C-alpha cells in the first residue's frame, strides 16, 4: 500500500470520486501543506485534500492524475467550480519522491503543460478533517450541489 495526498477543490466531492477508483484502498478527507500544526478558521495555508491509500499493483500516480484531471480544471488557480481561494487549489503531495517524479512526468508530457496550475510538492504536513467532513456525500448526498464534482462523475467507476 502507498499513500498520496490529492487536492482537487471541495474535498467532499473529491473524496467521493476518489474512493470509487480502481486500486484505491481507503480515503480520508483532510488538509495538506499548511503553515500550522492545527486547522483554524483561516486554514493557515492548507489545501483541502484527500489522503489516498492505493495498491500500486492496481493503479499508479499516472492513473490517479488522469482521474484527477477528469474532475478538475487543471488551469484554474485557487478555484474549482464555485469554490474560490487558496484552500481550493489543486495538487499532488507526497512523502515519496517517486510519486512526485511520476506526477511531474505526467504533466511534462501534456501538450498544455505550461498552463497547468496543479501543484506537485512534497508533503509538509497533513491534518485530518473533522468527522463531519469524512465521507460527507455518503452521509448527506444533497450536499453534492455544493461541489464541482457531479453525480455523473461519481457513478463513472462504480
Amino acid at each position: 500500500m502507498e499513500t498520496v495526498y490529492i487536492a482537487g477543490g471541495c474535498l467532499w466531492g473529491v473524496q467521493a470520486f476518489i474512493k470509487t477508483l480502481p486500486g484505491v484502498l481507503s480515503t480520508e478527507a483532510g488538509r495538506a501543506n499548511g503553515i500550522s500544526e492545527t486547522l483554524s478558521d483561516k486554514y493557515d495555508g492548507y489545501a483541502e485534500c484527500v489522503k489516498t491509500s492505493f495498491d500500486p499493483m492496481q493503479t499508479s500516480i499516472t492513473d490517479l492524475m488522469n482521474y484527477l484531471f477528469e474532475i478538475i480544471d487543471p488551469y484554474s488557480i485557487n478555484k474549482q467550480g464555485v469554490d474560490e481561494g487558496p484552500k481550493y487549489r489543486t495538487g499532488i503531495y507526497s512523502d515519496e519522491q517517486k510519486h512526485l517524479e511520476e506526477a511531474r512526468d505526467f504533466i511534462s508530457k501534456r501538450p498544455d503543460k505550461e498552463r497547468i496550475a496543479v501543484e506537485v510538492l512534497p508533503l509538509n504536513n497533513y491534518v485530518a478533517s473533522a468527522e463531519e467532513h469524512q465521507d460527507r456525500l455518503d452521509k448527506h448526498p444533497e450536499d453534492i450541489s455544493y461541489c464541482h464534482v457531479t453525480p455523473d462523475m461519481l457513478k463513472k467507476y462504480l
Side-chain angles (χ1 to χ4, degrees):
M1 180 171 75
E2 297 183 14
T3 302
V4 67
Y5 300 78
I6 301 172
C10 174
L11 60 79
W12 298 345
V14 176
Q15 182 181 31
F17 177 75
I18 289 175
K19 69 184 198 175
T20 69
L21 301 177
V24 171
L25 304 172
S26 67
T27 61
E28 179 181 69
R31 312 298 195 279
N33 283 14
I35 58 173
S36 67
E37 294 301 315
T38 60
L39 291 177
S40 72
D41 291 337
K42 297 177 185 175
Y43 274 73
D44 290 330
Y46 281 92
E48 291 196 359
C49 75
V50 177
K51 180 180 179 181
T52 305
S53 297
F54 63 98
D55 179 347
M57 299 299 286
Q58 295 181 27
T59 195
S60 66
I61 297 298
T62 297
D63 294 335
L64 293 172
M65 293 286 290
N66 272 313
Y67 295 131
L68 176 63
F69 275 46
E70 289 182 27
I71 62 167
I72 66 167
D73 174 353
Y75 315 116
S76 183
I77 298 171
N78 298 334
K79 183 177 183 339
Q80 291 296 314
V82 297
D83 293 318
E84 203 165 341
K87 70 181 181 179
Y88 299 112
R89 67 187 183 271
T90 56
I92 298 290
Y93 312 104
S94 180
D95 293 324
E96 299 285 336
Q97 187 61 32
K98 67 181 181 176
H99 293 164
L100 301 175
E101 289 171 6
E102 190 173 342
R104 288 181 186 119
D105 187 54
F106 171 86
I107 291 171
S108 74
K109 291 179 179 173
R110 291 184 54 102
D112 55 353
K113 63 187 172 207
E114 293 83 21
R115 296 181 49 218
I116 294 178
V118 177
E119 293 182 331
V120 178
L121 297 170
L123 180 71
N124 292 331
N125 52 12
Y126 171 79
V127 179
S129 292
E131 183 56 37
E132 68 189 77
H133 295 290
Q134 301 300 331
D135 301 307
R136 175 73 182 208
L137 294 184
D138 290 343
K139 299 171 194 169
H140 302 281
E142 68 278 5
D143 287 350
I144 189 72
S145 63
Y146 296 109
C147 295
H148 66 284
V149 177
T150 66
D152 287 341
M153 292 172 180
L154 297 179
K155 294 176 188 171
K156 188 170 182 180
Y157 296 101
L158 288 175

